[in-house]
Amino acid sequence: MCWGVHSTDQYDLGMEYTGYAEPGGYDRVVFRGDVAGREFIAFWLAGGKVLAGMNVNVWDVTDPIRELVRSGRPVDAERLADPAVPLGEL
């Protein structure tokens, strides 16, 4: 298992991946933000718990994503997808 924060820049995209979602080890992906505009966060969930998150051209969210992953708490997927809900409140 490779757990941590990994970042990369690919042309005009900056991405940071936090946590670890094993292929086939998650049951849902939740998107928050503007996927078409390439500014979003993707979350991989299993049983309502966040396994990993990847922010794409969205900055200063690594710490709250890390907290969601480490907490192991179930989250409301609708609230997780809503950019109006601060990540720290989940």
Side-chain angles (χ1 to χ4, degrees):
M1 179 187 308
C2 180
W3 199 103
V5 177
H6 304 279
S7 62
T8 185
D9 291 315
Q10 302 291 322
Y11 303 98
D12 63 336
L13 294 178
M15 297 171 276
E16 294 176 328
Y17 180 86
T18 305
Y20 181 72
E22 184 175 330
Y26 56 92
D27 52 35
R28 186 169 185 185
V29 178
V30 173
F31 295 95
R32 176 186 184 105
D34 184 1
V35 175
R38 299 164 30 149
E39 292 185 6
F40 65 93
I41 306 170
F43 296 95
W44 286 261
L45 283 71
K49 298 175 184 176
V50 178
L51 302 175
M54 182 176 70
N55 46 309
V56 178
N57 289 340
V58 176
W59 306 110
D60 300 323
V61 292
T62 301
D63 289 340
I65 292 172
R66 183 183 300 129
E67 282 301 311
L68 286 170
V69 171
R70 285 186 176 168
S71 76
R73 290 186 315 264
V75 297
D76 179 323
E78 297 298 320
R79 293 189 66 203
L80 184 62
D82 185 350
V85 177
L87 288 174
E89 289 184 11
L90 299 166

